[in-house]
Amino acid sequence: MIVKTKKLQGQVAIVTGASSGIGAGVAKALASAGAAVVVNYSSSADKAEEVLKEIKGEGGDGFTIKADVSKEEDVLRMFSETIKRYGTVDILVNNAGLQKDAKFHEMSLEQWDHVIGINLTGQFLCAREAIKEFIKRGVSPERSLSAGKIICMSSVHEVIPWAGHANYAASKGGVMMLMKTIAQEYAPLKIRVNSIGPGAIRTPINYAAWQTPQAYNQLLKLIPAKRIGEAEDVGRAAVWLASDDSEYVNGITLFVDGGMLLYPGFEDNG
Ligand code: BGC
């Protein structure tokens, strides 16, 4: 048995949308676990460089790359650059995502397409390229017991309906079935595909939900653990799902939500 000093030592990870929020937290966590990390961003080059600087400051390795995950040519370039630089890819964290909220009857097609394009089509395009590479390489036991690992960033809203966010909730419901279907399709090839379903995590996407004490107290009503999540909470889950510690885990959503899915309204009602 090969004993690794770090769980992801010698592996290469692409993290999409890694310049801020959950993506940045996951990129740093994977790097601390020994992976070389490709820090993808779509517009914030400076923030991506900051993330890379932190990774390198801790002795890690990686590079930044601009790519819009909803554009096929950008995704192909991101994978070919990564393979040119490191020889292969072991881990994909399909994280890039956004919200464009609107009441449903006022939602524009542009708002719908934008969210579905990044959150769902983006995950399809990146997963497809990752799977091609995993099939080509197969299992190399000195790297990992799996031929490759994909972690899809979903949300509690893959199961909780969310008024005013139909595009976002539909995208995450889609991610759930995309993840499960490709997990089923490629499990025989030792490719593992799982999701993380974060609840409310302190990031720019939900700034309004935690920025004031009033908003924060309101938010806590939805979280039995009575604290907002941090990107590091998600980072630790990602390291576990990417590592051989979860080798027999395939096709699940690991909710990192402080119990948000436990029907918190029933704490004192019903
Ligand atoms: C959303 C956040 C929200 C959280 C819990 C996430 O998927 O992006 O804005 O705070 O779900 O509702």
Side-chain angles (χ1 to χ4, degrees):
M1 191 173 131
I2 300 154
V3 179
K4 293 183 180 173
T5 50
K6 289 185 172 181
K7 302 253 179 210
L8 303 178
Q9 200 179 304
Q11 296 190 53
V12 179
I14 294 179
V15 183
T16 66
S19 58
S20 74
I22 290 176
V26 167
K28 289 184 230 167
L30 297 182
S32 313
V37 178
V38 179
V39 178
N40 160 254
Y41 66 95
S42 62
S43 55
S44 315
D46 291 359
K47 289 209 233 147
E49 287 304 332
E50 266 307 303
V51 173
L52 184 63
K53 205 168 131 198
E54 276 192 54
I55 287 174
K56 291 197 163 161
E58 307 248 303
D61 183 23
F63 68 94
T64 61
I65 189 160
K66 182 177 166 75
D68 175 340
V69 295
S70 68
K71 300 212 169 88
E72 189 169 31
E73 64 276 17
D74 282 24
V75 172
L76 296 185
R77 183 177 41 78
M78 177 167 70
F79 276 80
S80 63
E81 288 284 309
T82 302
I83 292 165
K84 194 159 96 195
R85 181 103 162 221
Y86 291 119
T88 190
V89 184
D90 302 272
I91 300 157
L92 165 68
V93 183
N94 249 340
N95 170 76
L98 45 74
Q99 290 179 213
K100 293 284 165 198
D101 308 328
K103 284 194 180 304
F104 182 68
H105 67 281
E106 289 167 355
M107 188 174 284
S108 66
L109 179 58
E110 198 273 328
Q111 286 171 317
W112 174 267
D113 281 345
H114 194 181
V115 170
I116 298 294
I118 304 282
N119 296 15
L120 186 55
T121 307
Q123 294 217 16
F124 154 67
L125 289 171
C126 293
R128 191 188 60 184
E129 294 316 299
I131 299 254
K132 282 184 198 163
E133 175 59 18
F134 299 163
I135 292 174
K136 203 190 299 168
R137 174 170 37 73
V139 179
S140 328
E142 72 286 357
R143 307 181 75 86
S144 170
L145 299 173
S146 301
K149 284 91 43 161
I150 298 177
I151 299 169
C152 300
M153 206 52 72
S154 185
S155 164
V156 290
H157 298 295
E158 73 172 37
V159 289
I160 303 179
W162 203 16
H165 309 262
N167 45 3
Y168 184 83
S171 75
K172 296 303 184 180
V175 164
M176 176 178 69
M177 285 311 289
L178 174 69
M179 177 279 287
K180 288 187 184 189
T181 299
I182 55 182
Q184 185 193 62
E185 197 163 335
Y186 295 101
L189 299 184
K190 291 207 160 281
I191 291 168
R192 296 194 297 116
V193 189
N194 293 288
S195 287
I196 295 177
I201 309 295
R202 192 194 310 273
T203 71
I205 207 171
N206 57 3
Y207 183 68
W210 50 266
Q211 137 217 40
T212 65
Q214 294 89 321
Y216 188 64
N217 284 331
Q218 192 64 16
L219 180 66
L220 290 191
K221 290 186 189 160
L222 296 175
I223 311 174
K226 298 300 167 216
R227 74 163 173 89
I228 194 169
E230 305 294 342
E232 293 75 18
D233 293 309
V234 182
R236 285 189 292 275
V239 169
W240 183 71
L241 281 177
S243 79
D244 285 344
D245 286 348
S246 60
E247 203 261 327
Y248 202 52
V249 177
N250 208 354
I252 66 151
T253 298
L254 174 56
F255 290 103
V256 180
D257 68 349
M260 198 173 233
L261 278 172
L262 299 173
Y263 298 96
F266 279 79
E267 271 175 30
D268 55 4
N269 203 350

